[in-house]
Coordinates of all heavy atoms in Angstrom, one line a residue:
Chain A
M1 N -51.9 -45.8 33.1 CA -51.8 -46.1 34.6 C -53.0 -47.1 34.9 O -54.1 -46.7 34.6 CB -51.9 -44.8 35.4 CG -50.7 -44.7 36.3 SD -49.2 -44.3 35.4 CE -49.7 -42.7 34.8
E4 N -57.0 -48.2 40.5 CA -56.7 -48.9 41.7 C -57.5 -50.2 41.8 O -57.1 -51.2 42.4 CB -57.2 -48.1 43.0 CG -56.1 -47.2 43.6 CD -55.7 -46.0 42.7 OE1 -55.7 -46.2 41.5 OE2 -55.4 -45.0 43.3
V16 N -48.0 -54.4 27.2 CA -46.9 -54.3 28.3 C -47.7 -54.1 29.6 O -48.6 -53.3 29.8 CB -46.0 -53.2 28.0 CG1 -45.2 -52.8 29.2 CG2 -45.1 -53.6 26.9
P19 N -45.1 -54.0 37.1 CA -45.4 -54.5 38.4 C -46.3 -53.6 39.2 O -46.1 -52.3 39.1 CB -43.9 -54.5 39.1 CG -43.0 -54.6 38.0 CD -43.6 -54.0 36.9
G20 N -47.2 -54.1 39.9 CA -48.1 -53.2 40.6 C -49.5 -53.2 40.0 O -50.5 -52.8 40.5
D21 N -49.5 -53.6 38.7 CA -50.9 -53.6 38.0 C -51.7 -54.8 38.5 O -51.2 -55.9 38.7 CB -50.6 -53.8 36.5 CG -50.0 -52.6 35.8 OD1 -49.9 -51.6 36.4 OD2 -49.7 -52.7 34.6
R57 N -48.9 -63.1 40.6 CA -49.2 -63.7 41.9 C -50.7 -63.5 42.2 O -51.2 -62.4 41.9 CB -48.4 -63.0 43.0 CG -47.0 -63.6 43.2 CD -46.3 -62.7 44.2 NE -46.5 -63.0 45.5 CZ -46.0 -64.0 46.2 NH1 -45.2 -64.8 45.6 NH2 -46.2 -64.2 47.4
T66 N -45.9 -58.9 38.9 CA -44.7 -58.7 39.7 C -43.5 -58.4 38.7 O -42.5 -58.0 39.2 CB -44.4 -59.9 40.5 OG1 -44.3 -61.1 39.8 CG2 -45.4 -60.1 41.6
K67 N -43.6 -58.7 37.4 CA -42.5 -58.4 36.5 C -43.0 -57.6 35.4 O -44.2 -57.8 34.9 CB -41.9 -59.8 36.0 CG -41.3 -60.5 37.1 CD -40.4 -61.6 36.5 CE -39.9 -62.5 37.6 NZ -39.1 -63.6 37.1
C68 N -42.2 -56.8 34.7 CA -42.7 -56.1 33.6 C -42.5 -57.0 32.3 O -41.6 -57.8 32.2 CB -41.9 -54.8 33.4 SG -40.2 -55.0 32.8
Q86 N -38.1 -60.3 29.6 CA -36.7 -60.5 29.2 C -35.8 -60.5 30.4 O -35.8 -59.5 31.1 CB -36.3 -59.4 28.2 CG -36.9 -59.5 26.9 CD -36.5 -58.4 26.0 OE1 -35.8 -57.5 26.4 NE2 -36.9 -58.4 24.7
K88 N -31.8 -62.0 32.1 CA -30.6 -62.7 31.8 C -30.2 -63.6 32.9 O -29.5 -64.6 32.8 CB -29.4 -61.8 31.7 CG -29.6 -61.0 30.3 CD -28.4 -60.0 30.2 CE -27.5 -60.5 29.1 NZ -26.4 -59.5 28.8
R89 N -30.8 -63.4 34.2 CA -30.4 -64.2 35.3 C -31.4 -65.4 35.4 O -32.5 -65.2 35.3 CB -30.5 -63.3 36.6 CG -30.1 -63.9 37.8 CD -28.6 -63.8 38.0 NE -28.0 -64.7 39.0 CZ -26.8 -64.9 39.2 NH1 -26.0 -64.4 38.4 NH2 -26.4 -65.7 40.1
S117 N -28.4 -68.9 41.9 CA -27.8 -68.4 43.0 C -27.1 -69.4 43.8 O -26.2 -69.1 44.6 CB -28.9 -67.8 43.9 OG -29.8 -68.7 44.3
E118 N -27.3 -70.7 43.6 CA -26.6 -71.8 44.2 C -26.2 -72.8 43.3 O -26.8 -73.0 42.3 CB -27.7 -72.6 45.1 CG -27.9 -71.9 46.5 CD -28.8 -72.8 47.3 OE1 -30.0 -72.9 46.9 OE2 -28.5 -73.3 48.3
K153 N -37.4 -72.4 46.1 CA -36.6 -71.4 46.7 C -36.0 -71.8 48.0 O -35.0 -71.2 48.5 CB -37.5 -70.2 46.9 CG -38.7 -70.4 47.8 CD -39.5 -69.2 47.9 CE -40.9 -69.4 48.6 NZ -40.8 -69.6 50.1
D154 N -36.5 -72.9 48.7 CA -35.9 -73.3 49.9 C -34.8 -74.3 49.9 O -34.1 -74.4 50.9 CB -37.1 -73.8 50.8 CG -38.2 -72.8 50.9 OD1 -37.8 -71.6 51.4 OD2 -39.4 -73.1 50.7
Chain B
R1 N -27.1 -56.0 35.1 CA -27.2 -55.2 34.0 C -27.3 -53.7 34.4 O -27.7 -53.3 35.4 CB -28.4 -55.4 33.1 CG -29.7 -55.4 33.9 CD -30.6 -56.5 33.5 NE -30.0 -57.7 33.3 CZ -29.6 -58.4 34.3 NH1 -29.8 -58.1 35.6 NH2 -29.0 -59.6 34.1
P20 N -30.5 -62.5 41.7 CA -30.1 -63.0 42.9 C -28.9 -64.0 42.8 O -28.9 -64.9 42.0 CB -31.4 -63.9 43.3 CG -32.4 -63.7 42.4 CD -31.7 -63.1 41.1
E22 N -25.3 -65.9 44.9 CA -25.0 -66.5 46.2 C -24.5 -65.5 47.2 O -23.7 -64.7 46.9 CB -23.9 -67.5 45.9 CG -23.7 -68.4 47.1 CD -23.2 -69.9 46.6 OE1 -22.9 -69.9 45.4 OE2 -23.1 -70.8 47.3
V68 N -39.1 -62.6 49.6 CA -39.4 -63.9 50.1 C -39.3 -65.0 49.0 O -39.3 -66.1 49.3 CB -40.7 -63.9 50.8 CG1 -40.7 -63.2 52.1 CG2 -41.8 -63.4 49.9
L69 N -39.3 -64.5 47.8 CA -39.2 -65.5 46.7 C -37.8 -65.9 46.4 O -37.5 -66.9 45.7 CB -39.7 -64.9 45.5 CG -41.2 -64.6 45.4 CD1 -41.6 -63.9 44.1 CD2 -42.0 -65.9 45.5
P71 N -35.0 -66.6 49.0 CA -34.2 -66.6 50.4 C -32.8 -67.0 50.2 O -32.4 -67.8 49.3 CB -35.1 -67.7 51.2 CG -35.8 -68.4 50.2 CD -36.0 -67.7 48.9
R72 N -32.0 -66.6 51.1 CA -30.6 -66.9 51.2 C -29.8 -66.4 49.9 O -28.8 -67.0 49.5 CB -30.4 -68.4 51.4 CG -31.0 -69.0 52.6 CD -30.8 -70.5 52.8 NE -30.8 -71.2 51.5 CZ -31.8 -71.6 50.9 NH1 -33.0 -71.4 51.3 NH2 -31.7 -72.2 49.8
T73 N -30.3 -65.4 49.2 CA -29.5 -64.9 48.1 C -29.2 -63.5 48.5 O -29.7 -62.9 49.4 CB -30.4 -64.9 46.8 OG1 -31.5 -64.1 47.1 CG2 -30.9 -66.3 46.5
L101 N -36.6 -53.0 37.7 CA -37.6 -53.3 36.7 C -36.9 -54.1 35.6 O -37.3 -55.1 35.0 CB -38.2 -52.1 36.1 CG -39.4 -52.1 35.3 CD1 -40.6 -52.7 36.2 CD2 -39.8 -50.7 35.0
G104 N -35.8 -57.8 36.0 CA -36.8 -58.9 36.1 C -36.9 -59.4 37.5 O -37.3 -60.6 37.7
L107 N -41.4 -57.6 41.9 CA -41.7 -56.3 42.7 C -43.3 -56.3 43.0 O -44.1 -56.7 42.1 CB -41.4 -55.1 41.8 CG -40.0 -54.9 41.4 CD1 -39.8 -53.8 40.4 CD2 -39.1 -54.7 42.6
A108 N -43.6 -55.8 44.0 CA -45.0 -55.6 44.4 C -45.6 -54.3 43.8 O -46.8 -54.2 43.5 CB -45.2 -55.6 45.8
E148 N -51.8 -46.5 44.4 CA -52.5 -45.6 45.3 C -51.5 -44.4 45.8 O -51.7 -43.8 46.8 CB -53.0 -46.2 46.5 CG -54.1 -47.2 46.1 CD -54.5 -48.1 47.2 OE1 -54.2 -47.9 48.4 OE2 -55.0 -49.2 46.9
R184 N -43.5 -46.5 31.9 CA -44.4 -47.3 31.0 C -43.9 -47.2 29.6 O -43.9 -48.2 28.9 CB -45.8 -47.0 31.2 CG -46.8 -48.0 30.8 CD -48.2 -47.6 31.3 NE -48.5 -48.0 32.6 CZ -48.9 -49.1 33.1 NH1 -49.2 -50.1 32.2 NH2 -49.0 -49.3 34.4
R190 N -39.0 -50.8 24.8 CA -38.1 -51.9 24.9 C -38.7 -53.2 24.3 O -38.1 -53.9 23.5 CB -37.6 -52.2 26.3 CG -36.7 -53.2 26.4 CD -36.3 -53.5 27.9 NE -35.4 -54.6 27.8 CZ -35.2 -55.3 28.8 NH1 -36.0 -55.1 29.9 NH2 -34.3 -56.3 28.8
Y191 N -40.0 -53.4 24.6 CA -40.7 -54.7 24.2 C -41.3 -54.5 22.9 O -41.8 -55.5 22.3 CB -41.7 -55.1 25.2 CG -41.1 -55.7 26.5 CD1 -40.8 -55.0 27.6 CD2 -40.8 -57.1 26.5 CE1 -40.2 -55.6 28.7 CE2 -40.4 -57.7 27.5 CZ -39.9 -56.9 28.6 OH -39.4 -57.5 29.7

Side-chain angles (χ1 to χ4, degrees):
Chain A
M1 233 73 65
E4 268 75 323
V16 163
D21 291 352
R57 271 173 87 78
T66 58
K67 294 193 186 179
C68 73
Q86 284 177 357
K88 289 177 109 173
R89 187 83 193 167
S117 60
E118 274 183 299
K153 60 184 170 73
D154 299 309
Chain B
R1 55 223 41 78
E22 193 149 8
V68 289
L69 292 177
R72 300 180 326 278
T73 62
L101 197 60
L107 301 172
E148 297 164 22
R184 201 169 279 271
R190 184 182 178 207
Y191 282 91

